[in-house]
């Protein structure tokens, strides 16, 4: 991936997501409100739709929606969601599908933002090519594993050190690196609450 090859440099395609951190508490709260209120999701859809020509201008310069392009570009997620909805309907619980929709337009984006920022924002040296300097691992609490960081995604430093390690082995890999002292100088946060404090500029 381009991000993996160019992390620690100004050519990192994801640099714009975290290079301005830490930010003020007001700024971070404003972003959180946008996430939880659904604005981030709508903006994401607009960008994706425009990039994939799902929204286009017709000859009269009016914005049109292309169902054909939508199905063509996103047949996999559309299929998965149809299977999910059909399965829930077969169980007599079709309205349960709305739980996924509501979460995607609210806390899903908020948790994704915090998780993504935890990986590279406000690290010791973002433009250093050493992963120990430009990448962070966050050790989550039990409730954070259920919300912010499922499936061992919290072990991002370990992932950058050896990308071939499967997710289900990252925790063990982390313990092995700790035991050998490899992570002695690494940026490791204990919990995402502690991590959020690192993302905020201390008041003067």
């Amino acid at each position: 991936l381009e991000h993996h090859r160019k992390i620690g440099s100004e050519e990192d395609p994801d640099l714009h997501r975290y290079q301005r951190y830490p930010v003020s508490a007001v700024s971070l709260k404003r972003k959180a409100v946008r996430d939880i209120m659904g604005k981030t999701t709508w903006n994401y859809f607009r960008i994706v739709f425009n990039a994939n020509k799902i929204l286009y201008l017709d000859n009269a310069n009016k914005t049109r929606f292309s169902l054909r392009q939508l199905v063509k570009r996103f047949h996999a997620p559309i299929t998965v969601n149809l299977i999910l909805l059909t399965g829930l309907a077969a169980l007599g619980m079709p309205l349960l599908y709305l739980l996924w929709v509501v979460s995607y337009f609210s806390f899903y984006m908020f948790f994704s933002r915090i998780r993504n920022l935890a990986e590279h924002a406000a690290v010791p040296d973002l433009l250093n090519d050493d992963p120990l300097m430009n990448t962070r691992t966050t050790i989550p609490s039990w409730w954070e594993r259920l919300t912010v960081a499922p499936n061992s995604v919290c072990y991002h430093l370990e992932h950058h050190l050896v990308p071939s390690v499967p997710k289900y082995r990252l925790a063990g890999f982390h313990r092995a690196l700790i035991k050998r002292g490899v992570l002695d100088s690494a940026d490791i946060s204990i919990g995402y609450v502690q991590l959020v404090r690192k993302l905020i500029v201390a008041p003067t």
Side-chain angles (χ1 to χ4, degrees), residues 40-50 55 104-105 109:
T40 302
T41 305
W42 283 118
N43 286 340
Y44 169 74
F45 281 157
R46 178 178 54 81
I47 292 170
V48 170
F49 279 21
N50 284 329
L55 296 180
Y104 194 76
F105 277 84
M109 286 300 182

Side-chain angles (χ1 to χ4, degrees), residues 54-164:
I54 294 169
L55 296 180
Y56 65 96
L57 294 177
D58 63 11
N59 294 332
N61 208 32
K62 292 184 178 180
T63 302
R64 299 295 184 184
F65 172 79
S66 173
L67 180 60
R68 180 181 179 183
Q69 280 294 106
L70 176 67
V71 174
K72 180 180 178 181
R73 296 281 184 171
F74 299 100
H75 63 277
I78 290 173
T79 300
V80 169
N81 277 271
L82 286 175
I83 291 173
L84 176 60
L85 178 58
T86 302
L88 290 172
L91 294 172
M93 300 179 291
L95 292 180
L96 194 58
Y97 177 77
L98 294 178
L99 183 62
W100 158 240
V101 176
V102 171
S103 66
Y104 194 76
F105 277 84
S106 56
F107 282 95
Y108 176 86
M109 286 300 182
F110 172 67
F111 292 148
S112 293
R113 180 186 297 277
I114 297 301
R115 181 172 63 247
N116 291 334
L117 291 175
E119 297 170 354
H120 298 290
V123 291
D125 190 351
L126 185 57
L127 296 180
N128 190 314
D129 61 3
D130 182 355
L132 296 177
M133 294 290 103
N134 63 43
T135 306
R136 176 189 295 110
T137 275
T138 303
I139 307 301
S141 62
W142 67 268
W143 66 268
E144 290 169 337
R145 292 182 186 276
L146 295 175
T147 53
V148 185
N151 302 321
S152 297
V153 295
C154 54
Y155 298 106
H156 200 64
L157 171 56
E158 294 76 7
H159 171 65
H160 269 271
L161 289 172
V162 186
S164 60

